[in-house]
Amino acid sequence: MTDALSPGAAARLLGVAPTTLRSWDRRYGIGPRERSPGGHRRYSPADIARLRELCRLVGEGVPSAEAARRIDSATRTATVPEPRAASPGGPVSLSTVAVPAREQEHTPTLQGVARAAMRMDSDLVEHLLQAAVERNGTVATWEDLAMPLLYGMGRRWEDTQRYVEVEHLLSWSVSSVLRRVPAPPSAPGPHVRPVVLACVPHEMHSLPVEALAASLREAGLAHRVLGPCTPTDATVRTVARIGPRAVVLWCHTSGEHDAETLMATARATVRAPERTALYTAGPGWRDAGDALRFADGHLGSLAEGVRMLSG
């Protein structure tokens, strides 16, 4: 059994404690079906697949006993596909686990995604967020799941100086899901004037810009993303080159030259051959003072941003 894992290796792969695996095996019979020649427990890829499905259900808020019952029922009526593993301890994709149709209707919960993130299970985090996007859309997933989770992890780090690795994993998972949001079949062609999304020069916190980009793509609205720490000259040149119908300047934390960036961008929009609106977004603009009069408005939320940019 070259693909079999020891209890410790299985626990590390799944992101749970070895005692949890023993408890699931003792209480619900969801455990290894094989033993080594010496009588030690060994987890096959099929065992890992069942346990990953148990982790997924528990992460979505299903009680452990009920989750185990469902897995046992599914196992009796259908064979759980055995995932291919390149080497012992290799990652098991959630896509290889047979999920009953009734389970696909279960709505991911904030608590479930948080539990998966704390276990460092990025596959499950992305699976749950992807399901939320498909069910509720990008705006609702960002505002009801991703943003509260990121805020909560940030506060936890501030309070304890721990779990920064969880925050980084969660940010990467959210970004990965946002990048996969598809455009509708009727997406606009390259001739349509886009919306330009840019951060101010010092701003590295660009995940909300990715959320706005994904929401615009989902709505079929053309856009161009310049990303974090965009130099002011780069934003100005972009306005001159492509004549966008709107520019959004994102600022999460206020900086010394934010007002200058705003005014320089405003001058570029005035010189554009066609009307180009200019919007600010993010809490960092609170200290911009009189410079805000150069903008056409402030996008206070993702939903508001999509609504205003759709007009």
Side-chain angles (χ1 to χ4, degrees):
M1 290 181 61
T2 57
D3 288 341
L5 300 178
S6 68
R12 288 192 295 273
L13 176 64
L14 294 165
V16 300
T19 54
T20 300
L21 291 185
R22 289 196 295 270
S23 175
W24 286 344
D25 188 11
R26 184 177 65 255
R27 294 181 179 181
Y28 314 124
I30 307 295
R33 300 182 176 184
E34 303 289 343
R35 291 290 190 274
S36 70
H40 300 291
R41 294 180 300 157
R42 289 295 182 266
Y43 291 80
S44 71
D47 295 328
I48 295 295
R50 285 188 292 273
L51 287 165
R52 287 295 291 268
E53 177 65 359
L54 181 60
C55 287
R56 185 186 73 83
L57 292 173
V58 170
E60 291 180 352
V62 179
S64 298
E66 173 64 14
R69 185 191 66 76
R70 295 179 185 182
I71 292 171
D72 182 65
S73 176
T75 303
R76 291 175 186 274
T77 57
T79 301
V80 177
E82 188 160 313
R84 293 174 294 177
S87 60
V92 180
S93 171
L94 286 170
S95 63
T96 64
V97 181
V99 182
R102 65 181 181 274
E103 295 306 329
Q104 296 174 359
E105 299 176 358
H106 194 87
T107 304
T109 64
L110 186 69
Q111 185 181 40
V113 182
R115 287 174 177 172
M118 289 300 294
R119 292 201 309 271
M120 302 292 287
D121 191 341
S122 58
D123 286 344
L124 182 53
V125 171
E126 291 186 26
H127 175 83
L128 295 175
L129 290 173
Q130 186 74 45
V133 169
E134 292 171 359
R135 175 180 292 270
N136 303 317
T138 302
V139 172
T141 300
W142 172 259
E143 294 187 342
D144 298 338
L145 275 178
M147 191 165 61
L149 283 166
L150 291 164
Y151 177 78
M153 285 300 173
R155 288 296 302 271
R156 178 168 290 192
W157 179 84
E158 290 178 2
D159 294 341
T160 66
Q161 298 297 299
R162 297 176 60 194
Y163 306 114
V164 66
E165 69 280 4
V166 178
E167 183 181 6
H168 280 238
L169 179 140
L170 181 60
S171 296
W172 177 264
S173 298
V174 170
S175 177
S176 298
V177 171
L178 292 173
R179 298 290 182 92
R180 291 197 295 265
V181 172
S186 58
H191 61 282
V192 177
R193 295 175 67 206
V195 175
V196 170
L197 310 178
C199 295
V200 295
H202 68 86
E203 188 57 70
M204 299 180 64
H205 186 81
S206 63
L207 200 54
V209 173
E210 295 184 38
L212 179 55
S215 300
L216 294 177
R217 184 166 62 253
E218 185 179 62
L221 300 174
H223 59 281
R224 302 290 184 270
V225 181
L226 302 184
C229 300
T230 304
T232 300
D233 288 347
T235 301
V236 169
R237 286 195 300 269
T238 299
V239 173
R241 288 182 63 183
I242 67 177
R245 62 185 184 86
V247 178
V248 178
L249 288 178
W250 168 260
C251 180
H252 183 70
T253 55
S254 59
E256 183 179 356
H257 302 292
D258 294 341
E260 297 173 16
T261 296
L262 181 57
M263 289 186 289
T265 306
R267 287 192 293 269
T269 62
V270 170
R271 292 193 297 266
E274 296 185 66
R275 163 67 177 163
T276 298
L278 174 60
Y279 297 100
T280 56
W285 291 109
R286 286 191 298 255
D287 301 326
D290 291 342
L292 290 176
R293 72 179 187 274
F294 292 99
D296 293 285
H298 181 80
L299 309 181
S301 68
L302 185 58
E304 182 181 7
V306 175
R307 183 172 64 254
M308 294 181 68
L309 295 171
S310 298

